[in-house]
Amino acid sequence: MGQQEKVSTSLAGAVSEGISASLAAVDAELDRRYPGDPGTRQPVHTVYVPGNVFDADTVRSWGDQALVALDEHAPDAASFAAVLGLADDLAEDVYGRVRAKLEREPIEDLRVDFEDGYAGDDEDQDAARAARLISEAYRNGTAAPYMGIRMKCMESAVRDRGIRTTDVFLTGLLENGGLPDGLVLTLPKVTYPEQVSAFVRLLEAFEKAHGLDAGRLGFEIQIETSQSILASDGTAAVARMIGAAEGRATGLHYGTFDYSACLGVSAAYQASDHPAADHAKAIMQVAAAGTGVRVSDGSTNVLPVGSKEHVHEAWRLHYGLTRRALARAYYQGWDMHPGHIPTRYAAVFAFYREGFEAAAKRLSAYANHAGGDVMDEPATAKALSSYLLRGIDCGALDTAEVDALTGMTRAALDRFAAPRRGDLTASAE
């Protein structure tokens, strides 16, 4: 290299120091409020099972029922592909992966429901039983990766019952071996940030009573009312709810039917692709971006039961809604019936299989500074690696095939997907 040209500046170093000092509080606030994605696995769905129905074989039973539905209504790859409109080059792979998933891990996230779906007559006993069965499932290896409860909300009419059920359930977990790593709690029908703060106080009290680490217990916030999106003062209440959770919020879950009804949408049009639903989820998505809080879509109430014609119609609807959600970056949704999970996994697997090669090659080119026909930026590299990791986690992609096309280890993909703030230039190993 030749002699470097002398570079001149006009400002004293004190100017830069002064600017940094003036923004120190902002820097700290950014780090606190927007830590980025936690880099942990996000389940592709959440299954809700009433507390009076949940049993030791629920996870396996859902998988078996889903396999029976496939055997009856789409016994091979060609028939399944014909129903859903899968491309010929995807049909065998997706169908095989769906069946394997239903045999190996039919449910990724299960919530024992003590709210709208609960119809038992002894909630204390059902909550204690749920704690015992979940503890046993984690010990014997039959648990879903994530499991927990949805308690009643913090509104006055049911508040005491919700608090007691939470206490009974969590106490039961401790009595049966401790809190599992996959524990998830869901707080429904949140209307005001103060209700989130109240639930935080409840969890703090439980942690203190049992000597647990502060912040050990996190929870999801269910968005089911108009007030949770737009507060009476015109602000986005959901953003304030994330702050009110004091770092404990792990997810925002959209409640399709309660939210639609709250806005006066007639029953025939209550669906996750209604414009009202799109508006609510867009606000949720923007409020959660960068905070580490994940957003989940809602469900469909059209069940794939009855005649083959109706099952196929319900499958097409569910598949289409799931693909629509994935394209909008809602990577999780609710499934209400065992017949929904074949199309949940078909949609998820097709989504990742279709884009796998292009994403892997783009990320490899970026990491190796190889150029190409797309000029990607660091933020896009983050999105590409996150896409590949999500595909691996759910079973749509195999680690070996991702390694082969990207030339990266899992650790390298993780660094691209969840970099430190201001550091989006991780290199491949």
Side-chain angles (χ1 to χ4, degrees):
M1 294 178 61
Q3 185 176 2
Q4 292 185 338
E5 184 177 349
K6 181 180 178 181
V7 176
S8 301
T9 62
S10 301
L11 302 177
V15 174
S16 178
E17 293 171 3
I19 290 173
S20 292
S22 72
L23 291 175
V26 171
D27 293 340
E29 184 78 349
L30 281 170
D31 287 340
R32 183 178 71 84
R33 289 189 178 274
Y34 302 101
D37 190 88
T40 55
R41 176 182 179 181
Q42 182 181 9
V44 303
H45 68 171
T46 300
V47 163
Y48 283 78
V49 178
N52 56 301
V53 173
F54 175 68
D55 212 337
D57 68 346
T58 292
V59 174
R60 185 62 264 152
S61 174
W62 272 58
D64 291 343
Q65 291 178 68
L67 286 166
V68 168
L70 278 180
D71 290 340
E72 183 177 354
H73 300 292
D76 53 45
S79 57
F80 197 48
V83 172
L84 303 181
L86 288 171
D88 291 342
D89 60 341
L90 285 176
E92 290 288 347
D93 193 2
V94 168
Y95 189 74
R97 287 176 185 272
V98 168
R99 293 196 70 96
K101 180 76 168 180
L102 295 176
E103 292 167 354
R104 182 186 74 253
E105 189 181 73
I107 294 176
E108 292 197 358
D109 184 28
L110 186 147
R111 211 69 72 247
V112 184
D113 190 18
F114 290 96
E115 205 233 353
D116 285 348
Y118 181 67
D121 54 14
D122 193 336
E123 192 162 333
D124 276 1
Q125 288 300 311
D126 287 335
R129 184 171 62 90
R132 175 176 55 81
L133 293 175
I134 287 175
S135 295
E136 290 174 357
Y138 277 108
R139 281 198 300 271
N140 63 30
T142 61
Y146 300 94
M147 299 184 79
I149 65 167
R150 176 171 72 169
M151 69 292 296
K152 290 178 173 62
C153 69
M154 297 299 285
E155 293 180 354
S156 59
V158 295
R159 182 183 304 138
D160 289 345
R161 180 64 263 182
I163 291 171
R164 182 174 176 85
T165 295
T166 305
D167 187 5
V168 169
F169 176 71
L170 293 175
T171 301
L173 289 177
L174 291 179
E175 291 175 346
N176 283 276
L179 305 178
D181 290 339
L183 174 64
V184 188
L185 305 173
T186 304
L187 180 65
K189 291 183 175 61
V190 179
T191 304
Y192 280 77
E194 289 81 0
Q195 294 168 330
V196 174
S197 296
F199 197 66
V200 170
R201 303 288 86 79
L202 170 63
L203 299 182
E204 285 179 338
F206 189 88
E207 290 166 348
K208 185 176 181 180
H210 291 279
L212 300 173
D213 291 341
R216 169 64 181 85
L217 295 166
F219 61 98
E220 301 164 337
I221 301 170
Q222 204 155 10
I223 304 301
E224 302 178 86
T225 66
S226 60
Q227 297 92 339
S228 61
I229 295 297
L230 188 68
S232 60
D233 62 359
T235 60
V238 65
R240 292 164 53 203
M241 289 174 185
I242 293 174
E246 299 177 23
R248 294 177 184 263
T250 58
L252 300 175
H253 283 230
Y254 177 67
T256 305
F257 304 103
D258 281 288
Y259 187 86
S260 298
C262 182
L263 268 62
V265 179
S266 61
Y269 297 96
Q270 293 177 0
S272 61
D273 59 352
H274 189 281
D278 285 341
H279 172 261
K281 287 180 287 188
I283 299 298
M284 292 162 58
Q285 191 174 50
V286 172
T291 66
V293 177
R294 271 80 175 261
V295 175
S296 173
D297 199 359
S299 62
T300 175
N301 60 359
V302 180
L303 303 184
V305 296
S307 69
K308 185 181 294 289
E309 180 182 11
H310 179 77
V311 169
H312 287 180
E313 182 179 350
W315 274 354
R316 280 189 289 270
L317 173 65
H318 186 243
Y319 178 86
L321 290 173
T322 303
R323 287 300 305 260
R324 183 181 190 272
L326 289 167
R328 286 158 176 75
Y330 307 129
Y331 298 111
Q332 186 174 355
W334 295 6
D335 288 329
M336 311 302 288
H337 187 275
H340 283 142
I341 55 178
T343 40
R344 169 70 60 182
Y345 292 130
V348 170
F349 293 169
F351 175 75
Y352 290 109
R353 298 302 304 176
E354 286 173 357
F356 157 54
E357 288 193 14
K361 290 176 180 178
R362 283 178 65 179
L363 183 59
S364 178
Y366 176 86
N368 293 296
H369 309 287
D373 58 358
V374 179
M375 182 179 293
D376 285 322
E377 297 187 353
T380 303
K382 175 180 177 180
L384 290 167
S385 55
S386 295
Y387 173 87
L388 296 172
L389 287 168
R390 288 180 183 278
I392 291 171
D393 285 341
C394 71
L397 306 177
D398 301 324
T399 302
E401 64 180 345
V402 175
D403 287 351
L405 277 187
T406 62
M408 295 185 189
T409 64
R410 172 74 190 235
L413 289 172
D414 284 334
R415 286 205 308 273
F416 272 108
R420 298 185 301 275
R421 175 174 297 282
D423 180 14
L424 288 169
T425 58
S427 60
E429 290 183 343

